[in-house]
Amino acid sequence: MRGLDEAAAHFRAGRLDAAAQVYRRLERQAPDDVRPGYSLAVIDINQGRLERARDRLVAVVAREPRMAAAQHNLGAVSQSLGEWSSAAEAYARALDLNPAAGESRVGLAMALAALGRSAEAVKQNRALAVDPTHRWPALTRIALIDAGEIGDDDLAAMQAAASDEATPAAQRVGLWFALGEALERRARDADAFEAYAQGNRLQRAALDVAAAARANAQAAAYVTEMVTPKFVAEHVGQGGQSAAPIFVVGMPRSGSTLIEQILASHPLVQAFGETGLLPRLLERGYPKTAAGLRETAARYLGGLRARGWDGSSRVVDKTLENYLHAGLIGVLFPRAVILHVVRDPVDNGFACYRQLFAEGNETLYDLADIGAEYLRYRGLMETWSARLPGRIVEVGYEALVTDPETQARRLLAEAGLAWDPAVLRFHERQAAVQTASASQVRRPIYATSAGRWRRHAERLQPLIAALGFTPDSKGNGANDGT
């Protein structure tokens, strides 16, 4: 088609708007040719217009289902939008068209894991592990999906690769965390802890931890200076009166995904995971006027609708960063529910130490740093509880896993929802789960994670000291610092 070379030249030179103009003209001239529409979708991806890119790609593959690149990109866009079922379908079609496409298989494996189809995800990663290019990331993913799938030969190979400085640094980090899971599964606690320690040291060395800690402290200072008791009294309710949102906040690895999945199993509740909506709306600072509060509340609810909220169901937002903004949430949405998930501080800290986070959380790769971050977070939550009396509901992780039905009934009552036994079958829910707890919440509630830290008590002394945690004579503990 005449003009394709001109558009491609614009694209290669970074003149995306000029390229798009040519492709749109070509699309009008030859509506049956899928190439202009596909190229426009690629430009949309590059410019961050993912919904439009998805729609274009759906149209392209409807006309030309054997276009492997379009199927793969549809999978990638759907994945970015959190549409995991669509992502899995598109990646699978791309892989059928090109079985050697490693990136399509990686995407399919990730989508299957998010959908709880663990055995299928392991199978895809096993296929990837045959290829040296994908071997270590694939074995890492297998260990994180199900550490029992890591055999002795896998374990030895992973240990050798993790110890080899020639292995790319990011892969070494992932391998050390995966080895920790596999070794813990074998009850080799000391070796597992050392693997976690190696992974944390390597990851921390690649981060600017001091800058992140300063930023976290500055953020906490800013929000407490903005949302004063006077500000609450003068502005509460000026944002909106919607009672739909249920905000789940807390420290990472505190059990928030479990709470979300229980609530989301109720027929009158929708859940969208860690939306990040409110933090993004507040990046330039807090609104200070009634008009600004109304706009922020409206934009937040609009963002939920864009993610699929039906406008009438209750909706769970488990963006953990919202603990910073709980004070403002109380002002914006005085009828919303704020659930604060609380877990034993040492178990919580150790769970963070065992986790390689996808992004952020730079201060959670050292035991003493974790303790300091935990104290900062709990101090801020105590401030919000004092400034919003009765508004923040604490939900204890240990109580929930010990007596699920009693605590689930309380949870629904606090959220203003009628009891429904479906919430106890949360592990049967088919929706995707994208967090670090994805594999755990596919199983019925279990209590084996409670008190896990005691197996590593001596090794966790830097965390215990930072928390001011004092075990009693029975091995139980009390946090003296929160």
Side-chain angles (χ1 to χ4, degrees):
M1 180 190 294
R2 291 179 61 186
L4 285 175
D5 289 343
E6 176 191 356
H10 284 309
F11 186 91
R12 287 192 298 271
R15 298 187 295 270
L16 300 187
D17 290 339
Q21 185 175 3
V22 177
Y23 284 128
R24 283 193 292 269
R25 185 186 76 230
L26 297 175
E27 191 175 40
R28 290 191 298 271
Q29 292 172 352
D32 292 331
D33 192 323
V34 299
R35 290 175 295 176
Y38 173 72
S39 298
L40 285 167
V42 172
I43 291 172
D44 285 335
I45 292 170
N46 277 272
Q47 295 184 329
R49 295 188 293 267
L50 298 186
E51 289 86 357
R52 192 158 82 181
R54 175 200 56 206
D55 295 344
R56 287 189 188 280
L57 289 166
V58 167
V60 168
V61 300
R63 293 202 303 271
E64 183 46 77
R66 297 192 60 78
M67 191 173 183
Q71 297 284 11
H72 175 86
N73 280 337
L74 178 56
V77 169
S78 298
Q79 176 179 335
S80 296
L81 292 171
E83 298 168 357
W84 289 96
S85 293
S86 297
E89 292 170 6
Y91 281 134
R93 290 192 295 265
L95 200 56
D96 285 343
L97 293 167
N98 183 6
E103 291 308 313
S104 294
R105 195 177 297 276
V106 169
L108 177 59
M110 293 177 68
L112 291 170
L115 291 166
R117 295 159 62 180
S118 299
E120 296 172 75
V122 168
K123 180 180 178 181
Q124 295 298 333
N125 279 306
R126 277 289 170 204
L128 285 163
V130 175
D131 181 348
T133 305
H134 295 283
R135 179 165 174 73
W136 306 128
L139 287 174
T140 294
R141 288 190 293 270
I142 290 172
L144 298 178
I145 294 168
D146 183 355
E149 291 287 335
I150 297 295
D152 291 342
D153 290 345
D154 294 329
L155 190 71
M158 292 166 70
Q159 287 174 318
S163 302
D164 186 353
E165 293 187 2
T167 304
Q171 293 186 17
R172 291 181 69 202
V173 171
L175 283 165
W176 281 122
F177 279 93
L179 283 164
E181 293 292 323
L183 291 164
E184 262 204 307
R185 181 67 172 260
R186 289 165 165 76
R188 292 170 56 181
D189 289 347
D191 292 337
F193 193 91
E194 179 55 28
Y196 292 131
Q198 292 277 14
N200 276 282
R201 280 193 288 268
L202 276 175
Q203 181 70 354
R204 190 176 190 274
L207 302 171
D208 191 342
V209 177
R214 284 195 301 272
N216 291 350
Q218 289 166 359
Y222 172 80
V223 297
T224 52
E225 289 168 5
M226 290 298 298
V227 185
T228 61
K230 183 174 183 288
F231 182 89
V232 173
E234 291 177 352
H235 296 288
V236 68
Q238 291 182 349
Q241 292 300 315
S242 175
I246 302 172
F247 295 92
V248 178
V249 303
M251 187 81 172
R253 312 297 290 139
S254 61
S256 59
T257 301
L258 174 59
I259 302 297
E260 177 199 37
Q261 293 303 300
I262 289 172
L263 290 167
S265 298
H266 193 284
L268 299 181
V269 176
Q270 291 181 272
F272 298 104
E274 299 190 26
T275 70
L277 277 171
L278 195 57
R280 282 196 291 276
L281 289 173
L282 301 174
E283 283 177 349
R284 296 186 179 181
Y286 274 15
K288 303 178 181 65
T289 64
L293 291 164
R294 282 195 301 274
E295 180 185 3
T296 300
R299 291 178 64 192
Y300 174 78
L301 296 174
L304 291 177
R305 288 189 181 88
R307 280 166 168 73
W309 177 45
D310 60 20
S312 59
S313 298
R314 304 296 299 282
V315 57
V316 182
D317 182 343
K318 68 166 290 280
T319 304
L320 295 183
E321 185 183 346
N322 280 341
Y323 86 84
L324 274 171
H325 309 301
L328 185 65
I329 289 169
V331 174
L332 287 172
F333 297 108
R335 299 175 61 208
V337 176
I338 305 171
L339 300 175
H340 175 207
V341 189
V342 180
R343 185 179 182 183
D344 174 285
V346 185
D347 268 336
N348 200 162
F350 182 42
C352 289
Y353 195 66
R354 293 171 55 245
Q355 180 64 47
L356 175 59
F357 295 95
E359 60 183 354
N361 295 303
E362 294 90 346
T363 58
L364 300 183
Y365 293 103
D366 173 84
L367 292 172
D369 289 348
I370 292 170
E373 196 63 47
Y374 185 92
L375 293 180
R376 177 165 31 247
Y377 131 77
R378 285 305 298 266
L380 188 56
M381 289 308 301
E382 288 170 7
T383 297
W384 298 141
S385 293
R387 295 183 186 179
L388 300 169
R391 287 297 315 283
I392 296 176
V393 179
E394 283 200 0
V395 181
Y397 171 80
E398 287 79 14
L400 179 61
V401 299
T402 302
D403 187 358
E405 182 171 340
T406 297
Q407 295 303 315
R409 285 181 179 276
R410 172 181 173 253
L411 189 62
L412 294 188
E414 294 285 5
L417 292 162
W419 170 250
D420 192 304
V423 302
L424 297 178
R425 300 191 301 275
F426 65 89
H427 53 284
E428 299 173 2
R429 186 169 175 262
Q430 297 301 307
V433 179
Q434 303 175 48
T435 68
S437 304
S439 60
Q440 291 97 315
V441 297
R442 301 298 183 183
R443 293 179 278 162
I445 285 178
Y446 57 94
T448 53
S449 291
R452 189 176 195 158
W453 70 269
R454 295 190 183 95
R455 290 160 46 188
H456 301 275
E458 290 302 316
R459 293 180 282 270
L460 287 169
Q461 285 306 307
L463 171 62
I464 292 169
L467 289 168
F469 185 91
T470 307
D472 64 24
S473 60
K474 295 181 181 179
N476 300 311
N479 189 323
D480 297 334
T482 62

PDB file of all heavy atoms in Angstrom, residues 16 83 87 97 123 143 165 173 179 195 203 215 226-227 232 266 284 290 326 334 402 414 423 443 461:
ATOM      1  N   LEU A  16       5.417  10.292  16.023  1.00  0.00           N
ATOM      2  CA  LEU A  16       4.270   9.390  16.123  1.00  0.00           C
ATOM      3  C   LEU A  16       2.977  10.045  15.648  1.00  0.00           C
ATOM      4  O   LEU A  16       2.140   9.389  15.022  1.00  0.00           O
ATOM      5  CB  LEU A  16       4.116   8.884  17.562  1.00  0.00           C
ATOM      6  CG  LEU A  16       5.310   8.103  18.128  1.00  0.00           C
ATOM      7  CD1 LEU A  16       4.957   7.511  19.488  1.00  0.00           C
ATOM      8  CD2 LEU A  16       5.761   7.002  17.171  1.00  0.00           C
ATOM      9  N   GLU A  83      -7.097  -7.075  32.524  1.00  0.00           N
ATOM     10  CA  GLU A  83      -8.115  -7.944  31.926  1.00  0.00           C
ATOM     11  C   GLU A  83      -7.468  -9.300  31.637  1.00  0.00           C
ATOM     12  O   GLU A  83      -7.134  -9.639  30.500  1.00  0.00           O
ATOM     13  CB  GLU A  83      -8.677  -7.291  30.661  1.00  0.00           C
ATOM     14  CG  GLU A  83      -9.362  -5.956  30.956  1.00  0.00           C
ATOM     15  CD  GLU A  83      -9.685  -5.149  29.710  1.00  0.00           C
ATOM     16  OE1 GLU A  83      -9.325  -5.590  28.594  1.00  0.00           O
ATOM     17  OE2 GLU A  83     -10.289  -4.069  29.840  1.00  0.00           O
ATOM     18  N   ALA A  87      -6.351 -11.459  28.323  1.00  0.00           N
ATOM     19  CA  ALA A  87      -4.913 -11.577  28.078  1.00  0.00           C
ATOM     20  C   ALA A  87      -4.525 -13.025  27.832  1.00  0.00           C
ATOM     21  O   ALA A  87      -3.779 -13.336  26.888  1.00  0.00           O
ATOM     22  CB  ALA A  87      -4.141 -11.016  29.272  1.00  0.00           C
ATOM     23  N   LEU A  97      -0.130 -19.618  16.974  1.00  0.00           N
ATOM     24  CA  LEU A  97       0.351 -19.168  15.669  1.00  0.00           C
ATOM     25  C   LEU A  97       1.865 -19.226  15.574  1.00  0.00           C
ATOM     26  O   LEU A  97       2.421 -19.439  14.486  1.00  0.00           O
ATOM     27  CB  LEU A  97      -0.125 -17.736  15.412  1.00  0.00           C
ATOM     28  CG  LEU A  97      -1.646 -17.572  15.240  1.00  0.00           C
ATOM     29  CD1 LEU A  97      -2.032 -16.100  15.308  1.00  0.00           C
ATOM     30  CD2 LEU A  97      -2.098 -18.196  13.921  1.00  0.00           C
ATOM     31  N   LYS A 123       3.089 -25.498  33.897  1.00  0.00           N
ATOM     32  CA  LYS A 123       3.388 -26.201  32.639  1.00  0.00           C
ATOM     33  C   LYS A 123       4.016 -25.257  31.622  1.00  0.00           C
ATOM     34  O   LYS A 123       5.006 -25.607  30.947  1.00  0.00           O
ATOM     35  CB  LYS A 123       2.106 -26.808  32.078  1.00  0.00           C
ATOM     36  CG  LYS A 123       2.309 -27.567  30.770  1.00  0.00           C
ATOM     37  CD  LYS A 123       0.995 -28.145  30.269  1.00  0.00           C
ATOM     38  CE  LYS A 123       1.186 -28.869  28.939  1.00  0.00           C
ATOM     39  NZ  LYS A 123      -0.112 -29.424  28.437  1.00  0.00           N
ATOM     40  N   ALA A 143       8.707 -21.553  41.379  1.00  0.00           N
ATOM     41  CA  ALA A 143       8.896 -21.610  42.836  1.00  0.00           C
ATOM     42  C   ALA A 143       7.902 -20.722  43.555  1.00  0.00           C
ATOM     43  O   ALA A 143       7.410 -21.079  44.635  1.00  0.00           O
ATOM     44  CB  ALA A 143      10.326 -21.210  43.198  1.00  0.00           C
ATOM     45  N   GLU A 165      28.186 -14.720  39.679  1.00  0.00           N
ATOM     46  CA  GLU A 165      28.102 -13.286  39.383  1.00  0.00           C
ATOM     47  C   GLU A 165      27.915 -13.009  37.897  1.00  0.00           C
ATOM     48  O   GLU A 165      27.579 -11.882  37.522  1.00  0.00           O
ATOM     49  CB  GLU A 165      29.340 -12.569  39.917  1.00  0.00           C
ATOM     50  CG  GLU A 165      29.418 -12.580  41.434  1.00  0.00           C
ATOM     51  CD  GLU A 165      30.544 -11.719  41.970  1.00  0.00           C
ATOM     52  OE1 GLU A 165      31.234 -11.078  41.151  1.00  0.00           O
ATOM     53  OE2 GLU A 165      30.726 -11.684  43.201  1.00  0.00           O
ATOM     54  N   VAL A 173      18.659 -11.923  41.876  1.00  0.00           N
ATOM     55  CA  VAL A 173      17.763 -11.505  42.963  1.00  0.00           C
ATOM     56  C   VAL A 173      16.537 -12.403  42.997  1.00  0.00           C
ATOM     57  O   VAL A 173      16.154 -12.938  44.045  1.00  0.00           O
ATOM     58  CB  VAL A 173      17.349 -10.031  42.783  1.00  0.00           C
ATOM     59  CG1 VAL A 173      16.255  -9.665  43.773  1.00  0.00           C
ATOM     60  CG2 VAL A 173      18.553  -9.106  42.986  1.00  0.00           C
ATOM     61  N   LEU A 179      14.591 -19.408  45.842  1.00  0.00           N
ATOM     62  CA  LEU A 179      15.275 -20.440  46.630  1.00  0.00           C
ATOM     63  C   LEU A 179      14.816 -20.424  48.078  1.00  0.00           C
ATOM     64  O   LEU A 179      14.675 -21.478  48.712  1.00  0.00           O
ATOM     65  CB  LEU A 179      16.789 -20.230  46.546  1.00  0.00           C
ATOM     66  CG  LEU A 179      17.449 -20.691  45.238  1.00  0.00           C
ATOM     67  CD1 LEU A 179      18.840 -20.101  45.099  1.00  0.00           C
ATOM     68  CD2 LEU A 179      17.501 -22.221  45.183  1.00  0.00           C
ATOM     69  N   ALA A 195      19.064 -17.517  51.983  1.00  0.00           N
ATOM     70  CA  ALA A 195      18.693 -17.193  50.601  1.00  0.00           C
ATOM     71  C   ALA A 195      17.919 -15.879  50.550  1.00  0.00           C
ATOM     72  O   ALA A 195      18.188 -15.016  49.706  1.00  0.00           O
ATOM     73  CB  ALA A 195      17.856 -18.326  50.005  1.00  0.00           C
ATOM     74  N   GLN A 203      19.092  -6.800  46.148  1.00  0.00           N
ATOM     75  CA  GLN A 203      18.053  -5.863  45.716  1.00  0.00           C
ATOM     76  C   GLN A 203      18.262  -4.500  46.352  1.00  0.00           C
ATOM     77  O   GLN A 203      18.134  -3.463  45.676  1.00  0.00           O
ATOM     78  CB  GLN A 203      16.669  -6.416  46.077  1.00  0.00           C
ATOM     79  CG  GLN A 203      15.509  -5.542  45.669  1.00  0.00           C
ATOM     80  CD  GLN A 203      15.283  -5.467  44.164  1.00  0.00           C
ATOM     81  OE1 GLN A 203      16.082  -5.994  43.376  1.00  0.00           O
ATOM     82  NE2 GLN A 203      14.222  -4.805  43.754  1.00  0.00           N
ATOM     83  N   ALA A 215      11.565  10.357  51.385  1.00  0.00           N
ATOM     84  CA  ALA A 215      10.309  10.652  50.700  1.00  0.00           C
ATOM     85  C   ALA A 215       9.125  10.142  51.509  1.00  0.00           C
ATOM     86  O   ALA A 215       8.088  10.825  51.617  1.00  0.00           O
ATOM     87  CB  ALA A 215      10.312  10.028  49.306  1.00  0.00           C
ATOM     88  N   MET A 226      -1.651  18.544  56.557  1.00  0.00           N
ATOM     89  CA  MET A 226      -2.799  18.986  55.748  1.00  0.00           C
ATOM     90  C   MET A 226      -4.122  18.618  56.414  1.00  0.00           C
ATOM     91  O   MET A 226      -5.031  19.438  56.509  1.00  0.00           O
ATOM     92  CB  MET A 226      -2.718  18.364  54.353  1.00  0.00           C
ATOM     93  CG  MET A 226      -1.586  18.912  53.491  1.00  0.00           C
ATOM     94  SD  MET A 226      -1.757  20.690  53.168  1.00  0.00           S
ATOM     95  CE  MET A 226      -3.305  20.722  52.280  1.00  0.00           C
ATOM     96  N   VAL A 227      -4.256  17.356  56.819  1.00  0.00           N
ATOM     97  CA  VAL A 227      -5.534  16.884  57.364  1.00  0.00           C
ATOM     98  C   VAL A 227      -5.492  16.995  58.885  1.00  0.00           C
ATOM     99  O   VAL A 227      -5.303  16.023  59.610  1.00  0.00           O
ATOM    100  CB  VAL A 227      -5.846  15.451  56.898  1.00  0.00           C
ATOM    101  CG1 VAL A 227      -7.246  15.024  57.369  1.00  0.00           C
ATOM    102  CG2 VAL A 227      -5.775  15.356  55.381  1.00  0.00           C
ATOM    103  N   VAL A 232     -10.576  18.587  59.128  1.00  0.00           N
ATOM    104  CA  VAL A 232     -11.629  17.576  59.140  1.00  0.00           C
ATOM    105  C   VAL A 232     -12.966  18.212  59.511  1.00  0.00           C
ATOM    106  O   VAL A 232     -13.991  18.013  58.840  1.00  0.00           O
ATOM    107  CB  VAL A 232     -11.285  16.430  60.107  1.00  0.00           C
ATOM    108  CG1 VAL A 232     -12.467  15.472  60.249  1.00  0.00           C
ATOM    109  CG2 VAL A 232     -10.040  15.680  59.640  1.00  0.00           C
ATOM    110  N   HIS A 266     -18.771 -11.604  48.016  1.00  0.00           N
ATOM    111  CA  HIS A 266     -20.163 -11.231  48.319  1.00  0.00           C
ATOM    112  C   HIS A 266     -20.833 -10.788  47.019  1.00  0.00           C
ATOM    113  O   HIS A 266     -20.231 -10.062  46.219  1.00  0.00           O
ATOM    114  CB  HIS A 266     -20.183 -10.100  49.346  1.00  0.00           C
ATOM    115  CG  HIS A 266     -21.516  -9.857  49.950  1.00  0.00           C
ATOM    116  ND1 HIS A 266     -22.522  -9.207  49.272  1.00  0.00           N
ATOM    117  CD2 HIS A 266     -22.029 -10.185  51.170  1.00  0.00           C
ATOM    118  CE1 HIS A 266     -23.593  -9.137  50.047  1.00  0.00           C
ATOM    119  NE2 HIS A 266     -23.323  -9.720  51.209  1.00  0.00           N
ATOM    120  N   ARG A 284      -0.169  15.937  42.830  1.00  0.00           N
ATOM    121  CA  ARG A 284       0.186  17.367  42.851  1.00  0.00           C
ATOM    122  C   ARG A 284      -0.241  18.054  44.147  1.00  0.00           C
ATOM    123  O   ARG A 284      -0.167  19.275  44.253  1.00  0.00           O
ATOM    124  CB  ARG A 284      -0.440  18.075  41.650  1.00  0.00           C
ATOM    125  CG  ARG A 284       0.110  17.576  40.323  1.00  0.00           C
ATOM    126  CD  ARG A 284      -0.428  18.401  39.162  1.00  0.00           C
ATOM    127  NE  ARG A 284       0.119  17.950  37.890  1.00  0.00           N
ATOM    128  CZ  ARG A 284      -0.154  18.496  36.718  1.00  0.00           C
ATOM    129  NH1 ARG A 284      -0.985  19.544  36.665  1.00  0.00           N
ATOM    130  NH2 ARG A 284       0.375  18.027  35.615  1.00  0.00           N
ATOM    131  N   ALA A 290     -13.723  23.269  48.952  1.00  0.00           N
ATOM    132  CA  ALA A 290     -14.882  22.406  48.730  1.00  0.00           C
ATOM    133  C   ALA A 290     -14.953  21.966  47.266  1.00  0.00           C
ATOM    134  O   ALA A 290     -15.241  20.792  46.969  1.00  0.00           O
ATOM    135  CB  ALA A 290     -16.161  23.121  49.138  1.00  0.00           C
ATOM    136  N   ALA A 326      -5.669   8.027  54.456  1.00  0.00           N
ATOM    137  CA  ALA A 326      -6.887   7.657  55.179  1.00  0.00           C
ATOM    138  C   ALA A 326      -7.576   8.876  55.780  1.00  0.00           C
ATOM    139  O   ALA A 326      -8.807   8.942  55.834  1.00  0.00           O
ATOM    140  CB  ALA A 326      -6.567   6.639  56.262  1.00  0.00           C
ATOM    141  N   PRO A 334     -17.306  10.507  53.747  1.00  0.00           N
ATOM    142  CA  PRO A 334     -17.632  10.264  55.155  1.00  0.00           C
ATOM    143  C   PRO A 334     -18.490   9.031  55.389  1.00  0.00           C
ATOM    144  O   PRO A 334     -18.586   8.552  56.510  1.00  0.00           O
ATOM    145  CB  PRO A 334     -18.381  11.537  55.566  1.00  0.00           C
ATOM    146  CG  PRO A 334     -18.888  12.122  54.282  1.00  0.00           C
ATOM    147  CD  PRO A 334     -17.866  11.776  53.251  1.00  0.00           C
ATOM    148  N   THR A 402      -7.893 -17.653  62.592  1.00  0.00           N
ATOM    149  CA  THR A 402      -8.224 -18.560  63.692  1.00  0.00           C
ATOM    150  C   THR A 402      -9.709 -18.877  63.732  1.00  0.00           C
ATOM    151  O   THR A 402     -10.113 -20.019  63.987  1.00  0.00           O
ATOM    152  CB  THR A 402      -7.785 -17.947  65.038  1.00  0.00           C
ATOM    153  OG1 THR A 402      -6.377 -17.696  65.000  1.00  0.00           O
ATOM    154  CG2 THR A 402      -8.091 -18.898  66.195  1.00  0.00           C
ATOM    155  N   GLU A 414     -19.388  -4.635  59.573  1.00  0.00           N
ATOM    156  CA  GLU A 414     -18.706  -3.334  59.575  1.00  0.00           C
ATOM    157  C   GLU A 414     -18.850  -2.640  58.229  1.00  0.00           C
ATOM    158  O   GLU A 414     -18.916  -1.411  58.157  1.00  0.00           O
ATOM    159  CB  GLU A 414     -17.222  -3.516  59.913  1.00  0.00           C
ATOM    160  CG  GLU A 414     -16.933  -4.009  61.319  1.00  0.00           C
ATOM    161  CD  GLU A 414     -17.119  -2.923  62.375  1.00  0.00           C
ATOM    162  OE1 GLU A 414     -17.554  -1.814  62.026  1.00  0.00           O
ATOM    163  OE2 GLU A 414     -16.821  -3.200  63.550  1.00  0.00           O
ATOM    164  N   VAL A 423     -18.860 -15.865  51.098  1.00  0.00           N
ATOM    165  CA  VAL A 423     -17.591 -15.197  51.418  1.00  0.00           C
ATOM    166  C   VAL A 423     -16.579 -16.171  52.020  1.00  0.00           C
ATOM    167  O   VAL A 423     -15.369 -15.919  51.971  1.00  0.00           O
ATOM    168  CB  VAL A 423     -17.799 -13.994  52.357  1.00  0.00           C
ATOM    169  CG1 VAL A 423     -18.751 -12.986  51.730  1.00  0.00           C
ATOM    170  CG2 VAL A 423     -18.291 -14.417  53.729  1.00  0.00           C
ATOM    171  N   ARG A 443      -6.497 -20.866  48.158  1.00  0.00           N
ATOM    172  CA  ARG A 443      -6.725 -21.971  49.091  1.00  0.00           C
ATOM    173  C   ARG A 443      -7.654 -21.511  50.209  1.00  0.00           C
ATOM    174  O   ARG A 443      -7.739 -20.321  50.497  1.00  0.00           O
ATOM    175  CB  ARG A 443      -5.391 -22.416  49.713  1.00  0.00           C
ATOM    176  CG  ARG A 443      -4.444 -23.058  48.724  1.00  0.00           C
ATOM    177  CD  ARG A 443      -3.150 -23.439  49.415  1.00  0.00           C
ATOM    178  NE  ARG A 443      -2.244 -22.307  49.528  1.00  0.00           N
ATOM    179  CZ  ARG A 443      -1.217 -22.260  50.367  1.00  0.00           C
ATOM    180  NH1 ARG A 443      -0.986 -23.250  51.198  1.00  0.00           N
ATOM    181  NH2 ARG A 443      -0.428 -21.201  50.399  1.00  0.00           N
ATOM    182  N   GLN A 461      16.488 -10.804  64.840  1.00  0.00           N
ATOM    183  CA  GLN A 461      16.743  -9.847  65.915  1.00  0.00           C
ATOM    184  C   GLN A 461      16.814  -8.393  65.451  1.00  0.00           C
ATOM    185  O   GLN A 461      16.326  -7.491  66.145  1.00  0.00           O
ATOM    186  CB  GLN A 461      18.008 -10.232  66.685  1.00  0.00           C
ATOM    187  CG  GLN A 461      17.827 -11.419  67.617  1.00  0.00           C
ATOM    188  CD  GLN A 461      16.671 -11.228  68.586  1.00  0.00           C
ATOM    189  OE1 GLN A 461      16.600 -10.212  69.293  1.00  0.00           O
ATOM    190  NE2 GLN A 461      15.751 -12.174  68.617  1.00  0.00           N
TER     191      GLN A 461
END
